[in-house]
Amino acid sequence: MSRIVVVSGGGTGIGLAVAEAFVRDGDQVVLVGRRADVLEEAVARLGSGSALAVPADLTDETEAAGVRDLVAERFGRVDVLVNNAGGNVALGAGEPSLTELWTGNFRSNVLTAVLLTEALRDLLADGGRVLLLSSIAAVRGGGSGSYGAAKAALHPYAYDLAADLGARGITVNVIAPGFIDDTEFFGGRMTRERRAFLVGQTLTGRVGVPEDVASLAHWLASPGAAHITAQIHQVNGGAERGR
Ligand SMILES: NC(=O)c1ccc[n+]([C@@H]2O[C@H](COP(=O)([O-])OP(=O)(O)OC[C@H]3O[C@@H](n4cnc5c(N)ncnc54)[C@H](OP(=O)(O)O)[C@@H]3O)[C@@H](O)[C@H]2O)c1
């Protein structure tokens, strides 16, 4: 039976690669993001029979509830929820104030995941999967502190959710990637020097790509990973050790 897989931020980068991995299995993916045109492009790439675009700003509780209503009406359940939407306000345009930096990163990385998960919670099927995208910054810092702090907040949320849902065979896991290329994450702010530095910190000597994260997400959603829950899984080519 094909699974119903909701991927926030599924129109670009890691989220799109995750969606592709599930579509290859014949699953139905629901892509959530703010930009309708970006989502529609992704649907065209994945196939309109396999993917559905649902534009929503997940920092808004009403919009998250709208996603829930649509998914409930169309599919009636969620088998896999991938909370991938997020970003680092420090990498956006302009110079945010301290307050904008910290509240912005909290909203973008914590609220998006919590509001969507809580909205979809009663639709989660027994034996389902919840994944949350954290970052290497949550386990070792790096940058302004606010982005890593926001990602780290997802960890105890995942532990509590795993405790609540475990009896129903639902697992909850966190994926913490290191530097992943070919996404919109860094905007125009990645320099050649910074890129070389980040690659130099890996033990594998290469950049991470969205498929590195997607293959872990895909496996964590498989029956073979049924006894793995409340864990932080790092995908960084050993970069946490490499500095
Ligand atoms: N690339 C890396 O090196 C790296 C490393 C560690 C962790 N991560 C994490 O991995 C996840 C995916 O990032 P990525 O690298 O693939 O970057 P990306 O291409 O910028 O993807 C982020 C996605 O999240 C969506 N999004 C952001 N805010 C949203 C909101 N309020 N509501 C709904 N959707 C929202 C964006 O679409 P819209 O703008 O259209 O809303 C976009 O599709 C993020 O959580 C990021 O923090 C990335």
Side-chain angles (χ1 to χ4, degrees), residues 33-51:
R34 290 167 299 187
R35 291 166 297 167
D37 56 331
V38 169
L39 295 177
E40 288 303 344
E41 240 176 78
V43 167
R45 179 164 156 176
L46 297 169
S48 56
S50 307

Side-chain angles (χ1 to χ4, degrees), residues 34-106:
R34 290 167 299 187
R35 291 166 297 167
D37 56 331
V38 169
L39 295 177
E40 288 303 344
E41 240 176 78
V43 167
R45 179 164 156 176
L46 297 169
S48 56
S50 307
L52 177 71
V54 182
D57 181 345
L58 294 172
T59 62
D60 182 314
E61 204 163 341
T62 308
E63 296 204 21
V67 176
R68 185 234 176 255
D69 291 346
L70 196 142
V71 171
E73 190 188 311
R74 287 287 292 266
F75 306 109
R77 68 173 205 282
V78 173
D79 298 299
V80 182
L81 168 58
V82 185
N83 286 295
N84 162 80
N88 188 347
V89 171
L91 297 171
E95 292 299 327
S97 68
L98 263 185
T99 302
E100 287 165 347
L101 196 58
W102 283 79
T103 56
N105 272 331
F106 180 83

